[in-house]
Amino acid sequence: MEDAAAATADVLAALAPSWSAAVVLLSYLAYLAAAGALLPGKLVAGAVLPDSSRLHYRCNGLLSLLLLLGLSALGVYMGWMTPTVVADRGLELLSTTFIFSVIVSFLLYYTGLRSRHQSSSLKPHATGSFIQDWWFGVQLNPHFMGVDLKFFFIRAGMMAWLFINLSLLAKSYLAGSVNRAVILYQFFCGWYIIDYFIHEEFMTSTWDIIAERLGFMLVFGDLVFIPFTFTIQGWWLLGNKMELPLLASVANCIIFLIGYLVFRGANKQKHLFKKDPKAPIWGKPPKVVGGKLLVSGYWGIARHCNYLGDLLLALSFSLPCGASSVIPYFYPTYLLILLIWRERRDEARCSEKYKDIWAEYCKLVPWRILPYVY
């Protein structure tokens, strides 16, 4: 009992936010803001909004990431920082980032209600319910000093995920505990994150960017949930030695590869279709319902086939941890619940928006996520 109480006290003490953690967080965000504004990148037109306007996004996330990796490596080489700095301050960074996300959410709520803009991006969409408006947000695409905050926070969360993992890898290396399980986990996550930034422009046609307003749900999800819960497997492997058999490793790689091909392929097909509705899908002219809904390629297999790929990828991130604990499977379990909830929301909105066209689409593509199952 005394040991458990002492361990709890240590965790609570480590969770206490600190000024040093705040400096790390704000320096990181300041770098991303500066790099996003100054570094060259492809300017991508976003989706057409209800008022016929469209935002443009500078997709220089990969260059920003590579530069930050180089600067971090230089800092470690020169002795200005340790490679385990993020892992060493993990809990206090978690609490500090959480407080920051709450503050930002309240500021977004307050400034959104005071907005007098009539554009689709900045027009306030208030329901009158504080909880709902604070949680889901008031404005679609709020900006701060020229920075599109929604796109910025997604970039910050994805990049932080990689840096936390790299810091955990450094900690494992120094402890001499790097093994096949650690390497697979790090490789899968690293591939996924870098691939995200290579195809960053695809993010501009996703539901989060097009339809979700920016409130606590997205701010917390991007800045806290993505980097600090998607790395639970890495934290678990740091404290638990897992000897992964070769056959299990091969099976894990196959699941990752299938998930990646479905996830990336589906998102690419959707993005290209929105840019050019006549672009061939799998070498053939696309089949379209009502001139709006794609039923070719992956989108002729399931209405939310990209979710299936995402779920397989999430599972592959956890499988290197084996089956001795449910803790590493928090991410795929959470994602399954989230995507089913989101799929239901998507279905309701699409049914209202497309009406008879959506009904026809559902007849042609009866499966929601997993063919012949759901």
Side-chain angles (χ1 to χ4, degrees):
M1 290 292 291
E2 292 181 0
D3 291 342
T8 302
D10 290 341
V11 170
L12 291 176
L15 265 172
S18 66
W19 288 112
S20 58
V23 169
V24 171
L25 173 63
L26 294 177
S27 298
Y28 170 66
L29 295 177
Y31 164 80
L32 287 183
L38 299 176
L39 294 179
K42 183 179 180 181
L43 200 62
V44 177
V48 178
L49 300 176
D51 63 355
S52 299
S53 66
R54 62 195 312 176
L55 299 179
H56 290 77
Y57 302 90
R58 187 178 300 279
C59 295
N60 55 9
L62 181 62
L63 186 56
S64 300
L65 172 61
L66 295 176
L67 179 59
L68 186 55
L69 284 171
L71 292 173
S72 300
L74 177 63
V76 171
Y77 177 78
M78 298 298 293
W80 300 333
M81 57 183 286
T82 66
T84 62
V85 60
V86 177
D88 292 339
R89 298 179 178 272
L91 290 178
E92 63 185 82
L93 280 169
L94 167 61
S95 60
T96 302
T97 308
F98 173 77
I99 293 171
F100 177 80
S101 68
V102 172
I103 294 172
V104 168
S105 300
F106 277 114
L107 290 174
L108 287 170
Y109 171 78
Y110 178 73
T111 57
L113 290 180
R114 291 171 58 87
S115 173
R116 296 295 179 266
H117 289 275
Q118 294 303 309
S119 66
S120 294
S121 290
L122 301 177
K123 180 180 179 179
H125 300 270
T127 65
S129 168
F130 165 73
I131 295 298
Q132 185 171 343
D133 291 337
W134 174 74
W135 181 270
F136 290 108
V138 177
Q139 293 176 301
L140 183 62
N141 296 299
H143 287 66
F144 177 71
M145 297 180 65
V147 176
D148 183 289
L149 292 178
K150 191 192 293 184
F151 196 67
F152 174 78
F153 288 150
I154 294 172
R155 177 181 289 183
M158 292 295 294
M159 211 174 288
W161 178 9
L162 179 63
F163 276 90
I164 292 175
N165 268 350
L166 291 177
S167 189
L168 290 170
L169 177 61
K171 206 169 181 69
S172 295
Y173 176 78
L174 294 175
S177 59
V178 175
N179 56 19
R180 184 183 295 157
V182 172
I183 292 172
L184 280 181
Y185 166 72
Q186 291 286 345
F187 175 77
F188 292 156
C189 290
W191 180 289
Y192 179 87
I193 296 165
I194 292 174
D195 179 78
Y196 168 86
F197 285 110
I198 291 174
H199 300 96
E200 190 177 30
E201 69 174 275
F202 293 176
M203 189 65 199
T204 62
S205 59
T206 60
W207 184 262
D208 283 355
I209 293 294
I210 295 173
E212 295 282 17
R213 299 189 296 274
L214 185 61
F216 179 77
M217 182 181 73
L218 285 187
V219 175
F220 171 81
D222 292 337
L223 295 182
V224 180
F225 207 87
I226 287 177
F228 291 101
T229 64
F230 290 13
T231 54
I232 286 176
Q233 304 95 320
W235 289 101
W236 192 88
L237 287 170
L238 184 63
N240 298 270
K241 189 174 180 63
M242 178 64 202
E243 296 296 340
L244 202 63
L246 179 59
L247 185 59
S249 301
V250 172
N252 200 169
C253 290
I254 292 173
I255 292 173
F256 172 80
L257 181 61
I258 294 173
Y260 172 76
L261 291 175
V262 174
F263 175 77
R264 178 54 61 216
N267 284 331
K268 184 176 181 179
Q269 287 176 356
K270 179 178 68 173
H271 182 77
L272 294 178
F273 174 73
K274 288 185 176 182
K275 291 181 65 176
D276 180 8
K278 296 183 179 180
I281 302 293
W282 287 347
K284 299 179 180 179
K287 183 179 179 181
V288 183
V289 174
K292 297 179 179 180
L293 301 176
L294 178 66
V295 290
S296 292
Y298 289 106
W299 300 96
I301 298 174
R303 302 199 293 271
H304 306 275
C305 48
N306 54 331
Y307 290 177
L308 174 60
D310 215 358
L311 288 168
L312 290 174
L313 286 169
L315 180 62
S316 73
F317 298 159
S318 298
L319 286 175
C321 300
S324 63
S325 173
V326 298
I327 294 175
Y329 291 87
F330 171 81
Y331 172 34
T333 303
Y334 149 79
L335 191 64
L336 176 63
I337 297 170
L338 172 71
L339 292 182
I340 290 177
W341 173 68
R342 175 168 285 189
E343 170 263 323
R344 294 288 173 149
R345 291 177 64 206
D346 291 353
E347 294 273 327
R349 290 194 185 189
C350 289
S351 178
E352 181 180 351
K353 179 178 180 180
Y354 297 112
K355 296 182 173 56
D356 292 342
I357 297 176
W358 183 254
E360 182 182 353
Y361 174 61
C362 290
K363 290 180 181 178
L364 291 172
V365 188
W367 305 108
R368 295 169 180 260
I369 296 177
L370 181 60
Y372 304 104
V373 178
Y374 178 74

